[in-house]
Structure formats: structure tokens, C-alpha cells
Amino acid sequence: MKKILFLCLISLSINTQALDTNKLINLNDLNILFDFKKNDWNENVLFLIKKNSFTKVDNESDTFYLKSIFKDGEIITMPIFSNSIVEKIIFEYIFLDQNKENLKIIKDHFNSFINFCFEYLYYNKSIQVVISKCN
């Protein structure tokens, strides 16, 4: 069941406008991502990279990162694990054409989630959202 929900979450980001707030991750999907164990996450990524719109991002970690491609850029989902439990998740939104409004839309969307803490990092063509559970 988790795999199906995860696939639904990721499929929403394919070939869409990244900042259509109806297409951004919702609170239920975020909770599901935080419930993943490292092995489950890696297995799901290996399954998804067989699809043309997903790729595994190479990194120096034993955790796979997932890249989803959409019309105006891409999103990289990077879970950070501690003892096989998700400690935080980083979403990196990479845009072909970046503007300051994208940061406002993303902040407004994520700041509406309760029980989660967010850090936003703004770069030339990307925005990173670092998400952790607040205690």
C-alpha cells in the first residue's frame, strides 16, 4: 500500500508545472515519506528509475536520491536517514527560469504544514526545502 501511495505522489510531479500548489506534495504524502525505512526507500527508487521520467541521482551516500522531471525543470527528493529512519527530507526544485515568486509560493505552501520545520535555501536556479519533524 505504501508503494502505491508513493508512486501516486511521485507521478503527480511528472510533466506538470512545479509550482501549481495542487501538484506540490501534501501533508499526507509528506507523512508517508517520513515513514519510509532506508531499504524500502531504495527499493522504491530502483523500481521508479525504470520509468522514463525518473532517474536515480548519483551521490556519495548509500541512499538513493530521486529526480522527477517536469515541464519547467526538475525536482530532486533527497531523504536523509539516521539509523534507517528518515531524519529529514530535502526537496530541490531546479527551474529553467527562476524568479523570486517561486520562493514565495513554496514557502507559503510548506509553512501551512503543522508538526514540520522548514529551512529554505535559495540559489540562482533552484530552491531547496529542508524538512524535519518538529518536536
Side-chain angles (χ1 to χ4, degrees):
M1 181 66 172
K2 265 189 180 180
K3 288 182 182 182
I4 293 171
L5 291 173
F6 179 71
L7 292 173
C8 291
L9 157 75
I10 297 299
S11 68
L12 289 175
S13 66
I14 301 173
N15 295 323
T16 63
Q17 174 72 349
L19 294 183
D20 177 354
T21 55
N22 294 326
K23 302 292 184 184
L24 289 172
I25 190 168
N26 65 39
L27 183 58
N28 291 333
D29 293 334
L30 190 58
N31 281 315
I32 290 169
L33 286 177
F34 270 91
D35 286 341
F36 271 99
K37 302 291 185 224
K38 186 186 293 190
N39 288 341
D40 295 335
W41 170 262
N42 284 339
E43 287 175 13
N44 278 292
V45 171
L46 288 174
F47 172 77
L48 288 171
I49 61 174
K50 295 177 183 177
K51 306 219 176 261
N52 290 335
S53 56
F54 298 103
T55 59
K56 180 179 78 115
V57 177
D58 291 328
N59 60 64
E60 296 180 15
S61 160
D62 62 346
T63 302
F64 300 144
Y65 296 162
L66 183 66
K67 183 190 303 183
S68 306
I69 300 166
F70 57 94
K71 287 181 191 176
D72 300 325
E74 56 197 32
I75 300 169
I76 301 175
T77 305
M78 301 172 275
I80 308 300
F81 290 90
S82 175
N83 296 325
S84 192
I85 297 171
V86 176
E87 181 180 323
K88 61 179 133 177
I89 299 171
I90 302 170
F91 291 107
E92 183 171 13
Y93 294 86
I94 302 168
F95 302 98
L96 297 177
D97 183 26
Q98 175 65 295
N99 64 54
K100 294 275 186 183
E101 184 65 21
N102 291 343
L103 180 60
K104 180 184 178 336
I105 293 168
I106 287 173
K107 278 184 172 182
D108 289 347
H109 176 74
F110 283 107
N111 286 340
S112 69
F113 295 173
I114 58 172
N115 300 324
F116 288 96
C117 295
F118 304 94
E119 179 182 357
Y120 304 96
L121 306 168
Y122 183 78
Y123 300 102
N124 185 29
K125 294 270 185 182
S126 71
I127 297 169
Q128 280 191 357
V129 181
V130 181
I131 305 167
S132 59
K133 286 190 173 182
C134 298
N135 294 341

